[in-house]
Amino acid sequence: MLLTGLLHPGILEALAGAGHGARVLITDGHYPASTAVGERARTVHLNLAPGLLDVTTVLDALLPVLPVESAQVMTPPEGAPEPPAIAEYRARLAHVPVGTLGRLDFYDAARSADLALTVVTADIRTYANLLLTIGVRPEGTLTPP
């Protein structure tokens, strides 16, 4: 029995194998996950039905178990307003820098060799994709057996 709120075996396995600098991609339901992810990344599909699970919910499950160093969001074309999902991410990730990338640059970043995990959600919001970079475990947080 695990004491963490994150119980998905595939996600836990991918995170256990990822280290400092590895990336985690959480996608909305519109993301081309079959073509715009790193070749070595594990892909976990949580898109059961439209809107049933969103990126923010997955982020909330990951944050207690994952040291996030930085994040990047996908932004709409110039002149379009910032999507509400991005404000949610900035609030939850207030302790780390959150950069912005246009759609094609975001796809390129997600195709990088250091992508360890892709979590595909059924988020129906547009531009709700989030790319996290894993940091290091803060000193003093390791509990010896």
Side-chain angles (χ1 to χ4, degrees), residues 1 43 45 62-63 70-71 77 79 85 96 103 120 124 130 141 145:
M1 177 56 70
T43 300
H45 293 272
L62 291 178
L63 285 177
S70 63
V96 300
R103 184 174 59 92
V120 180
I124 58 174
L130 181 62
T141 61

Side-chain angles (χ1 to χ4, degrees), residues 58-79:
V58 173
L59 177 61
D60 288 344
L62 291 178
L63 285 177
V65 299
L66 183 68
V68 177
E69 179 176 279
S70 63
Q72 293 175 306
V73 294
M74 180 189 288
T75 56
E78 190 173 323

Side-chain angles (χ1 to χ4, degrees), residues 21-23 37-41 108-117:
R23 292 179 166 185
V37 298
E39 291 180 14
R40 296 186 301 215
D108 287 342
R111 287 186 184 107
S112 70
D114 59 0
L115 185 69
L117 172 65

Side-chain angles (χ1 to χ4, degrees), residues 94-106:
H95 60 288
V96 300
V98 178
T100 60
L101 293 171
R103 184 174 59 92
L104 297 179
D105 289 334
F106 190 94

Side-chain angles (χ1 to χ4, degrees), residues 12-136:
L12 289 170
E13 179 183 17
L15 293 177
H20 180 228
R23 292 179 166 185
V24 174
L25 173 64
I26 313 170
T27 76
D28 61 29
H30 312 286
Y31 193 86
S34 64
T35 59
V37 298
E39 291 180 14
R40 296 186 301 215
R42 174 161 190 157
T43 300
V44 173
H45 293 272
L46 299 179
N47 50 341
L48 181 64
L52 189 57
L53 185 67
D54 64 18
V55 174
T56 304
T57 302
V58 173
L59 177 61
D60 288 344
L62 291 178
L63 285 177
V65 299
L66 183 68
V68 177
E69 179 176 279
S70 63
Q72 293 175 306
V73 294
M74 180 189 288
T75 56
E78 190 173 323
E82 183 173 271
I86 294 176
E88 284 184 18
Y89 307 155
R90 289 185 195 283
R92 283 169 168 77
L93 296 166
H95 60 288
V96 300
V98 178
T100 60
L101 293 171
R103 184 174 59 92
L104 297 179
D105 289 334
F106 190 94
Y107 291 162
D108 287 342
R111 287 186 184 107
S112 70
D114 59 0
L115 185 69
L117 172 65
T118 300
V119 179
V120 180
T121 74
D123 201 329
I124 58 174
R125 300 175 294 178
T126 56
Y127 295 96
N129 304 295
L130 181 62
L131 186 60
L132 305 173
T133 300
I134 298 173
V136 297

